[in-house]
Amino acid sequence: MTALFEMKSLTKNYWQTETQMECTYLFSDLTATIDSSERIALLGKSGQGKSTLLRMLALLDNADSGEIRFNGVQAKDMDTRVWRMKITYVAQQAVMLPGTIEENLKTVSKLHNETFNDKHAQKLMKDVGLESIDWAKKAADLSGGEKQRIALVRSLLLAPSILLLDEVTASLDQQSKAYVENLLIKWSEVEKTAFIWVTHDLEQAKKVSERIWYMENGTLAVDCKTESFFEHQHSFSDSVIL
Amino acid sequence: MSLLALTFTLLFVVITMLLSVWQKLDLEKDIAIGTVRAAIQLLAVGYVLQFVFQSKNLLFIVLIICIMIVVAAHNAAKRAKGMSGVVWRIILSIATMEILMMGLLLSLQIIEATPQYIIPLSGMTIGNAMVACGLFLTQLKRETESSKGEIETLLALGATSRQAVQDVLKRSVKFCMIPTIDAMKTVGLVQLPGMMTGMIIAGADPVEAVRYQILIIFVFTSSSAITSMMLSVLCYKNLFTKDLQLKKWSE
Ligand SMILES: Nc1ncnc2c1ncn2[C@@H]1O[C@H](COP(=O)(O)OP(=O)(O)OP(=O)(O)O)[C@@H](O)[C@H]1O
Ligand SMILES: [Mg+2]
């Protein structure tokens, strides 16, 4: 059986400036697979290339070598847009599109000529704790945490097979954070959606994930079940510092 | 104007030179080059136009307009260094605008089908379209850089290249229309346009001169709009790689 998603020997070189000619890599030889509805937490120190990896998986950046496959089909053999609708990146810095909250939520249905499911959107907004927000409000005026949650809902409305979540709760208070965590765990179970969730919060990783990927020294140093990661945490490198 | 009178106009250049030397602006060389070029170019154009007007050959008119378009496109393309094939796109945009404009002006008999009308009017509209293209490309570059997050957000949601830059294109077109629209609002109050002034000095009735000026201003506005919109349609694909990623706009 083919895995839902595979990456093989992915390598990303550093962005080269003109003067620096030697080719050093940000990360190399990343190999892993994801099964359907699997929940993965991606850990690693700042600057390890976690965001770069997620952007690469969403085809927003190019790998310098290696390949990625979705349901056995290579990225380059698939229409980029179809790929991005299946494997959707939710950025570290939530970007609101010009216009109101409503217009932002309707982006996906507008882009793909679908009818907007008002009830569904309202339900999701409630799940992330934005039940009472006025949809006519300008999106640019929202707080960082509100933007982040709306960006998440905007992507969920696309109903992708794999969500690439880049520190999506970084600017949320404890309660909203718990809302988002619960929503995404439930979503993954009900919709059979897998996710890779980048986080610096070990408690969060423990709560939301079934598997941990830990990036260190330019490679995927650890890929194991969440429980065994936390049991053997002390034995990985000096200790996982995030 | 007699040749002697024309020679006296060099006095203005001398004044500028003296000012430059006195204030150590270090502009003497540029002023000298500019003076010689302006004189030669304009005199040459004068003789060329005289020849074309007398020959009344359509081929010459078309040739002159083509040269104008190519020179204008090369100039405007300097604003988009690093974007490949932009010259051709500009040429196509300006040429389409020119054909449309002249087609309308001539078929509605707004102007006479003689070189005296066609060439100066074409020159002015093409010049105006050149400025519009330059502004559009400068703004497009700025907008794509500052809206990178917005464009990538849309791409990540499965947008086509067109959908991802639609707003950016709209804002850039709007931006390059501002000067002509502002000019339209203040013309006659703030600036007396060159063509009108020229006609009046050459002895035309001011009211007649004004009519042509109105024509020019309306033509300018629509030529900016047509050229920049056309250019935006021709250019947007160029902002992306074939993998539907935003290109780095290298200098
Ligand atoms: N477009 C770019 N141009 C040049 N360098 C870049 C670019 N994007 C990322 N980098 C570099 O690549 C490295 C990895 O960046 P990345 O954002 O992937 O790290 P990260 O693991 O997500 O870090 P954080 O936890 O702080 O978000 C950094 O050193 C960064 O400076
Ligand atoms: Mg990051």
Side-chain angles (χ1 to χ4, degrees), chain A residues 217-235:
Chain A
N217 301 326
T219 180
L220 198 59
V222 179
D223 174 2
C224 70
K225 290 274 174 215
T226 302
E227 306 93 72
S228 64
F229 180 85
F230 285 101
E231 274 164 34
H232 303 289
Q233 192 187 339
H234 52 275
S235 60

Side-chain angles (χ1 to χ4, degrees), chain A residues 60, chain B residues 144 147-148 151-152 155 165 239-241 244-248:
Chain A
L60 292 165
Chain B
T144 10
S147 309
K148 187 165 177 267
I151 297 171
E152 286 196 331
L155 288 178
V165 287
L239 299 170
F240 297 92
T241 65
L244 218 59
Q245 292 172 6
L246 206 50
K247 259 189 214 166
K248 288 235 164 56

Side-chain angles (χ1 to χ4, degrees), chain A residues 12-16 26-27 44-55 61 89 92 166-167 198-200 215, chain B residues 148 248:
Chain A
K12 180 77 194 175
N13 298 333
Y14 271 125
W15 282 264
Q16 285 205 328
L26 177 60
F27 51 74
K45 276 182 219 153
S46 202
Q48 281 292 318
K50 303 180 298 297
S51 298
T52 308
L53 175 63
L54 291 198
R55 287 172 51 85
D61 264 328
Y89 176 63
Q92 187 163 2
D166 203 345
E167 301 186 35
V198 172
T199 177
H200 290 285
M215 277 172 85
Chain B
K148 187 165 177 267
K248 288 235 164 56

Side-chain angles (χ1 to χ4, degrees), chain B residues 142-152 164 168 171 246:
Chain B
R142 250 188 245 148
E143 283 277 351
T144 10
E145 272 160 12
S146 67
S147 309
K148 187 165 177 267
E150 195 183 312
I151 297 171
E152 286 196 331
V168 165
R171 291 198 291 265
L246 206 50

Side-chain angles (χ1 to χ4, degrees), chain A residues 128-196:
Chain A
V128 295
L130 291 173
E131 195 177 5
S132 51
I133 204 163
D134 177 9
W135 283 23
K137 220 171 160 179
K138 272 188 119 176
D141 299 338
L142 299 173
S143 77
E146 287 165 342
K147 284 182 186 166
Q148 214 162 25
R149 281 175 286 170
I150 289 168
L152 178 64
V153 171
R154 197 173 56 191
S155 301
L156 287 178
L157 289 172
L158 199 56
S161 301
I162 304 176
L163 273 165
L164 306 170
L165 307 164
D166 203 345
E167 301 186 35
V168 288
T169 57
S171 41
L172 298 187
D173 60 88
Q174 292 304 322
Q175 194 194 15
S176 312
K177 205 185 225 173
Y179 278 157
V180 170
E181 289 165 353
N182 296 337
L183 166 67
L184 285 168
I185 294 172
K186 202 178 84 199
W187 180 275
S188 161
E189 278 161 8
V190 176
E191 304 282 330
K192 299 275 167 284
T193 305
F195 64 64
I196 306 178

Side-chain angles (χ1 to χ4, degrees), chain B residues 41-52:
Chain B
Q41 284 169 14
L42 287 175
L43 285 174
V45 164
Y47 287 115
V48 169
L49 288 183
Q50 199 175 41
F51 170 73
V52 173

